[in-house]
Amino acid sequence: MDEHMLDDSGFPSENEAENKYFKKYAAILRRCKSIQKENEMLVHRVYQVKKIVRRLRKERKFLMDELDKKGDNFRSLPLTIAIEEEDKSFALPQTSSLPALGRPRSSGSSASSKRQVKIIVIHVDKINYC
């Protein structure tokens, strides 16, 4: 701290202290606005995904009704799904300068990541369709 910012008692002047707190206030305000913007983007994305899920459920119900009308026995057949898993639990794009809380950090290049494929067999007649 410069000597010209000190008052006669050797403490920082009142103006300097106010400036320091104003800078902290402005930084917190910027961070708050950034968090609010990111939150609004996530809320919008959740809305979009819910809308897509509703549409897909409607399409699935339509297809199932059509198969039932045709007398198809699709409910008795096993449904096999291959799922590829990566080391990351989920991948959300980092949209801000905020730290990635709860996201695993990559410890190497993407070429070294191992993929596992799981085969899931589902018996359709045991699933409750919504």
Side-chain angles (χ1 to χ4, degrees):
M1 191 176 307
D2 294 340
E3 288 182 26
H4 68 278
M5 291 184 204
L6 301 177
D7 62 7
D8 295 335
S9 63
F11 291 104
S13 65
E14 188 175 312
N15 204 12
E16 176 64 26
E18 286 178 14
N19 189 22
K20 181 176 89 170
Y21 288 118
F22 181 77
K23 285 180 181 179
K24 287 183 179 183
Y25 165 78
I28 291 171
L29 191 62
R30 280 191 305 273
R31 179 161 167 102
C32 185
K33 286 180 181 180
S34 173
I35 291 170
Q36 283 179 323
K37 183 177 180 182
E38 187 171 357
N39 186 42
E40 289 172 6
M41 289 174 21
L42 290 172
V43 166
H44 181 67
R45 180 64 183 149
V46 167
Y47 171 76
Q48 288 177 329
V49 169
K50 284 183 177 182
K51 188 176 175 181
I52 291 168
V53 167
R54 281 193 306 269
R55 190 190 83 233
L56 291 175
R57 283 186 177 153
K58 192 174 180 180
E59 289 177 10
R60 182 182 69 186
K61 183 169 178 9
F62 170 77
L63 290 173
M64 288 174 54
D65 290 344
E66 289 298 311
L67 287 171
D68 283 338
K69 286 179 190 176
K70 306 279 187 211
D72 194 298
N73 65 348
F74 71 96
R75 294 180 192 269
S76 63
L77 300 174
L79 177 64
T80 305
I81 302 171
I83 299 175
E84 292 185 15
E85 290 186 353
E86 292 186 23
D87 291 337
K88 294 182 179 181
S89 58
F90 59 90
L92 289 177
Q94 186 71 21
T95 57
S96 72
S97 60
L98 300 176
L101 300 175
R103 298 183 189 156
R105 300 202 186 268
S106 60
S107 58
S109 66
S110 61
S112 67
S113 65
K114 298 178 183 177
R115 287 188 172 181
Q116 296 177 346
V117 177
K118 287 187 176 181
I119 304 295
I120 299 175
V121 177
I122 302 172
H123 291 282
V124 179
D125 60 343
K126 297 178 182 175
I127 296 177
N128 183 13
Y129 291 99
C130 312

